Amino acid sequence: MKKIMIICVGLMLLGSSITKAQAILDKVDRATDKADRAGRTADRTKSTGDKLLGFFGKKKDSALTEKTTVKLSGIDFSTLKSINDKLRGAKGIESTKMKYSSSGSSIVLEHAGSTSDILKTLQKAAPDVFAEKNIDGMDDGEISIKLK
């Protein structure tokens, strides 16, 4: 009889711990569901916002954008940086990427128009650097400048 009593008390204690564990698992499950619903709502909101902003946003036409690399040799960093700053605000130039090296530096330009058109803009922005005597070569998408 004592054995049956001990087994019954053990089952009762074990049953209450299982119930508590199940309650904790249910709370975790509800919290996970709530987080999933919030994530789906945020995704739908972002999608709607993107659609609305698409009506007003500036569309970049990549067919009209050209890339030209301006290779400069014999130039110091401060001159290269000042030229890059001037080119950022020049008409027809969308973006610039500057790379400096003592052996040869470059500026990659994204612009509208041809390479010869961008050379005219460069000559207006920095006439002393892009003078005709400094032009070492020119091809579609590339201009080489050699400073003495």
Side-chain angles (χ1 to χ4, degrees), residues 115-117 119 135-144:
T115 302
S116 58
D117 293 338
L119 180 60
I135 298 174
D136 196 34
M138 186 171 114
D139 195 9
D140 284 341
E142 186 174 310
I143 300 171
S144 298

Side-chain angles (χ1 to χ4, degrees), residues 76-87 98 125-126:
D76 58 66
F77 182 74
S78 62
T79 307
L80 181 69
K81 187 175 179 198
S82 69
I83 291 171
N84 189 52
D85 291 341
K86 289 178 187 176
L87 293 177
M98 179 180 77

Side-chain angles (χ1 to χ4, degrees), residues 49-63:
D50 289 344
K51 287 177 185 175
L52 288 174
L53 290 176
F55 292 123
F56 303 111
K58 179 181 174 185
K59 293 185 179 178
K60 191 174 181 180
D61 191 1
S62 61

Side-chain angles (χ1 to χ4, degrees), residues 83-96 109-112 118 120-126:
I83 291 171
N84 189 52
D85 291 341
K86 289 178 187 176
L87 293 177
R88 283 188 182 171
K91 183 180 177 183
I93 297 177
E94 294 179 18
S95 69
T96 65
L109 305 170
E110 285 190 24
H111 59 89
I118 204 65
K120 292 175 187 173
T121 305
L122 294 171
Q123 288 174 332
K124 288 179 185 174

Side-chain angles (χ1 to χ4, degrees), residues 1 3-4 48 62 75 91 95 102 104-105 116 137 143 148:
M1 179 88 161
K3 289 183 182 180
I4 294 176
T48 303
S62 61
I75 192 167
K91 183 180 177 183
S95 69
S102 59
S105 303
S116 58
I143 300 171
K148 296 168 177 142

